[in-house]
Amino acid sequence: MTMVGARVIRKEDPNLITGRGQYTDDVQLVDTAAMVFVRSTEAHAKILSIDTSEAEAADGVLGVYTYADFAHLPGMEGMPGVERPILAHGTVHFVGDPVAVVLAESAYLAADAAESVFVEYEPLPIVTDPYEALADDAPIIMEGLPSNVMLDTPWTDDLAEVFDSAPHTASGRLWNNRVHPVPLETNQVLADWRRDKLTVWASVQNPHGYRNRLTDYFGISQNQCRVIQPDVGGGFGAKVQPFPELFLVPELSRRHGRPVKYVQTRSECFLLMFPGRDQWHDYEVAFDDEGTILGLRSKVLVDAGGYPDKYAFGMPTLTNWMSSGCYKIPAIAAGHTLVVTNKSPMSAYRGAGRPEAAYLIERVIDHVAYEVDLDPADVRMRNFIQPEDFPYKVAHAELWYDSGNYPAGLAKALEIVDYENLKAERDRRNADPSEKLMGIGFSTWTEIAAFGPRGSLEGFGNIASYESAQVKIQPDGTAIIETGASPHGQGTVTTLSQIAADALHMDFDDISVHYGDTDAVPMGIGTQGSRTAAIAGEATKRAATQVFENAKKVAAHLLEANPDDIEVVDGQFGVAGTPSKTVSWKEVGWAGLAPTQLPDDIAPGSLEVQIFHEPTGFTFPSGAYVCIVGIERDTGRVEIERFVAVDDCGTVINPLLAEGQVEGGIVQGIAQAMWEQMTYDENGQPLTATLMDYLFPSAADLPQIEEARENTPTPHNSMGAKGIGESGSIGATPAVVNAVVNALRQYGVVNVDPAITPQKVWKIINGNGSEG
């Protein structure tokens, strides 16, 4: 039996589910001091003065620091000239902007002292609407710049000829609402800067990248800096970017000569951790009588919040790249503009630009279907890229889709839901005022994944885009894999063990996986962009395969046989046709490090191989999702009655883990459509900055997700794996919104922006809030 494809229970779980996981806050060092932020209460204001005297005199306080104390330190990575300072300098740009830090003997003393720091502000005009930020007379947020526009990428061709000659055109504006990551573990950092070395424990997704930034930032050598990533309680893309606490905590440790820890509170998390999405899409689509799309024009407006984060610049680019979705659209014009406002800085969040693209094109497809009075499923089938078209180049970018069978995926989804009978039920219910309204929504999506080709991640400050793996056979014949991937809930230890078990012909339980320690594992890029299975997995497979070939030579020497005749049966190396003569992995492992037991052409240590794998291209997972909603006519309450997901992630390493990834992503996507949304009042005060206000679903709010699978392996790695870490979050939101719009069609509605609250739906049903 091969392990790839087996439903193996996670190796990680026994520790995690019995409370034996070790997170950053679980690391206790003697004499550790605690750092707490003093945060801005204003969304946009000049800092006139900061009085720290009372806090400095408080019991247990070791120091209170403002920007002036760190003026020699550079800002965070971002747009040149407007980098975010390590603490607010002169002006605050959003509520929560850190203006000072307090260091004390305990977190409680630091928090109490922070309350006594008095900051005098001079309020400045506030902008929270990105369209208002574009106005000529808008208040300028980044002092010294002529406008709030940080990036403007116009169309290179307005496609006038296509649109002027098209039988039909339609247009609209969509909003991809601002949502916030809610990992179980918030941002946490512990630093211990000793005479000879800086050691940092941090809840991050890329420990090597953080180590490289730290050493550059402080001008120290990399052999004097170690970053350890303990267990991480979720990241969702929000623990990739550099943020001030990652640098302030080590700096304070250096100044005080003792360990310093920062543990973000949940309320702080809603102010300081990067939210995602917040894109507005203005689109125009040209199509014929049959619903065949002839051209698409879109302009994306991104609300980057109070500072333009480096990763935020990449989000609209990914959105534009993927704006044609699964469809053969011959002409596309895609541009984008990024502005700053007085909200928390926005950056990458699970999916990072691709959910926004899927939302745009899937809403556009339904709009076209309704304009020509055709079934949305038929319009999708008519416009799909066909299996024989791969590799397929999109019309507007140097982007080649690797593989897929979109018609088969949708056909399978339609069969599962029994679509014809489902439509009849919908029509019956919608005609009966005593029944709930019913809607059927589709999302047939694709995304770009496996960020590993050269150049794909270097622009975000990474040294490369490859991923590393080192496979080492121990003297007792067991194996250790060291990976540059940095898991935070994905089950990577299990996945890589399965891949290595097949390549090494070794028992799965004899394999361990190490990660997240820059002194112990090879240079890695970390976990982001659905890249681990496709890139770290392939690196593991290649390293393990080379180790196994060397192991066969060692075994052949021990057995006095030709390496070509060696086979492994039940974990024993033997000679084909001579079953009585075998050696075990333990004997081979021992011999691999014992010069007296090795042949002349094998050196000690040959059972240890390191690979840096750089793939030849991106992968493009896809899926066909169907959502069925019921809507209470009296209250506007929307219920997800069924959700069917057919995913294609190529070869599945572990179906159990793949299902978990898909379900988690779908829940995030449904939540964005139905409940989650960061909101601000006209003064820039966040209204949803706690879990009392930010509506987060529980299991009781969700349906049983029905999953099925298509399998079109990618040619870009030997396993055929495409990646599945973000899939559910990409496809789910448009399926839900399309279903709600479908249910509300009889009210003339063509669009409802998420989050779809009962109030919003009730107003539509009662005729005073139509979004038609």
Side-chain angles (χ1 to χ4, degrees), residues 112-132:
D112 287 346
E115 293 290 323
S116 62
V117 174
F118 180 74
V119 184
E120 185 179 5
Y121 298 103
E122 177 185 317
L124 295 171
I126 293 164
V127 182
T128 58
D129 184 315
Y131 286 99
E132 292 179 3

Side-chain angles (χ1 to χ4, degrees), residues 143-176:
E143 194 171 348
L145 294 187
S147 78
N148 294 315
V149 176
M150 300 292 108
L151 176 68
D152 190 23
T153 305
W155 298 332
T156 55
D157 180 353
D158 66 4
L159 308 181
E161 189 174 340
V162 174
F163 277 77
D164 289 347
S165 61
H168 305 282
T169 64
S171 63
R173 173 175 290 179
L174 304 170
W175 183 39
N176 212 286

Side-chain angles (χ1 to χ4, degrees), residues 248-269:
L248 282 168
V249 172
E251 172 63 15
L252 291 178
S253 178
R254 175 164 67 174
R255 291 190 184 198
H256 286 263
R258 59 191 290 188
V260 173
K261 182 184 283 186
Y262 167 75
V263 177
Q264 193 174 65
T265 67
R266 180 59 64 187
S267 295
E268 278 185 317
C269 180

Side-chain angles (χ1 to χ4, degrees), residues 483-553:
T483 176
S486 48
H488 40 283
Q490 292 84 356
T492 301
V493 169
T494 305
T495 304
L496 298 187
S497 295
Q498 289 181 256
I499 293 169
D502 282 355
L504 293 169
H505 300 258
M506 182 181 284
D507 192 295
F508 170 77
D509 292 325
D510 287 337
I511 299 170
S512 299
V513 177
H514 296 173
Y515 60 88
D517 186 338
T518 58
D519 270 9
V521 303
M523 178 70 211
I525 308 305
T527 296
Q528 53 189 305
S530 299
R531 64 194 303 274
T532 298
I535 306 173
E538 180 69 12
T540 300
K541 181 180 178 181
R542 292 186 180 202
T545 300
Q546 288 188 28
V547 167
F548 180 67
E549 291 303 315
N550 291 340
K552 284 170 59 179
K553 294 175 183 175

